[in-house]
Amino acid sequence: MLRKYLLWRYVDLTDVEDILGHSPFVYLRWVLVYSVLLFLVYVGFSIWHQYSTEIYVQRIAGIIWLFLFCRWLLGFLNLYLDCILVSKDSLTVFLRDGILEYRTEIIDWSKILVISHRQNSLRDRVCGKWDILIQMWNDIDFPFSDIAHPKKSASKLMLNKKNHDEKMKKKIEEDLEGDQRQFDILVDALWEVIRDYMDSKNNEERFND
């Protein structure tokens, strides 16, 4: 997958089990907006070129086109790389902004209180876009906007959290059980030492008698 190949530059994907990105409508809107904008620029400079034969008109048109195309490509790449990375021990919210700026939030499953989804407007309902809201125990929220299949995604994330919590609970119980066994062994060993001491003491008293 292209997204995984590009994300390798920023985060470690070794233990990543799933990647949740934006809804396809987000990319479609971005493409349509800039396609219309590029078309209008083309029409405008075509009309201008009919009334002016100066070579600088073509150069200005080429520069504007190149700028808009680079802006479209960069914005599309930023949207495409924004995602939630799901692993067994944590989830990572990756957000890219601009050319070099990006932000990652690594959240342990044990710190998450609940994962829910919400819609902000009628347009979101029509386009099938929702926001995922990750609520923490320390009252800090991490929203991830414009995601498709919100119920399925939120349920999948909560299932990962449940599996992690059960795994940690089992590990704690095993550690406590191991500590109890070690305590029992220590008590038995101590009792054996005391009994041996008492037996040797009794034998010594009988010998003195």
Side-chain angles (χ1 to χ4, degrees), residues 34-201:
Y34 271 85
S35 296
V36 171
L37 186 58
L38 288 172
F39 176 75
L40 292 177
V41 171
Y42 171 77
V43 171
F45 275 95
S46 297
I47 296 174
W48 189 6
H49 184 65
Q50 292 179 358
Y51 297 97
S52 177
T53 59
E54 297 292 339
I55 192 172
Y56 74 86
V57 175
Q58 298 179 0
R59 292 178 178 177
I60 293 175
I63 293 173
I64 293 178
W65 261 70
L66 181 62
F67 172 79
L68 290 177
F69 178 77
C70 292
R71 179 70 182 87
W72 169 82
L73 185 62
L74 179 61
F76 184 87
L77 184 64
N78 289 341
L79 288 173
Y80 184 69
L81 291 182
D82 287 350
C83 60
I84 298 177
L85 307 172
V86 184
S87 63
K88 292 182 179 179
D89 298 325
S90 64
L91 62 83
T92 302
V93 180
F94 179 85
L95 300 174
R96 194 173 186 274
D97 184 22
I99 300 177
L100 300 175
E101 296 180 4
Y102 67 94
R103 181 165 62 95
T104 57
E105 296 289 348
I106 301 176
I107 308 172
D108 191 272
W109 288 111
S110 59
K111 297 180 180 179
I112 297 175
L113 177 61
V114 67
I115 300 173
S116 58
H117 56 276
R118 66 187 181 189
Q119 282 186 322
N120 298 321
S121 63
L122 179 61
R123 184 183 64 180
D124 289 349
R125 181 177 295 274
V126 173
C127 296
K129 298 185 304 178
W130 296 66
D131 293 348
I132 288 289
L133 185 63
I134 304 170
Q135 297 176 305
M136 312 281 287
W137 284 102
N138 54 5
D139 296 330
I140 297 177
D141 297 338
F142 287 96
F144 187 81
S145 60
D146 300 333
I147 193 169
H149 312 295
K151 294 182 180 179
K152 180 180 179 181
S153 300
S155 299
K156 184 184 297 185
L157 293 176
M158 287 302 297
L159 180 61
N160 278 63
K161 172 177 168 53
K162 180 180 178 181
N163 293 336
H164 177 269
D165 291 344
E166 290 178 351
K167 179 182 176 181
M168 294 302 297
K169 180 181 178 182
K170 183 178 180 181
K171 183 179 179 180
I172 292 174
E173 290 176 349
E174 290 176 351
D175 291 342
L176 291 176
E177 185 178 351
D179 293 340
Q180 183 63 40
R181 286 197 299 266
Q182 293 179 0
F183 179 76
D184 293 340
I185 293 173
L186 180 61
V187 170
D188 291 339
L190 183 60
W191 173 247
E192 288 292 335
V193 172
I194 294 175
R195 188 173 61 181
D196 292 341
Y197 174 77
M198 294 300 295
D199 290 342
S200 62
K201 190 71 172 178

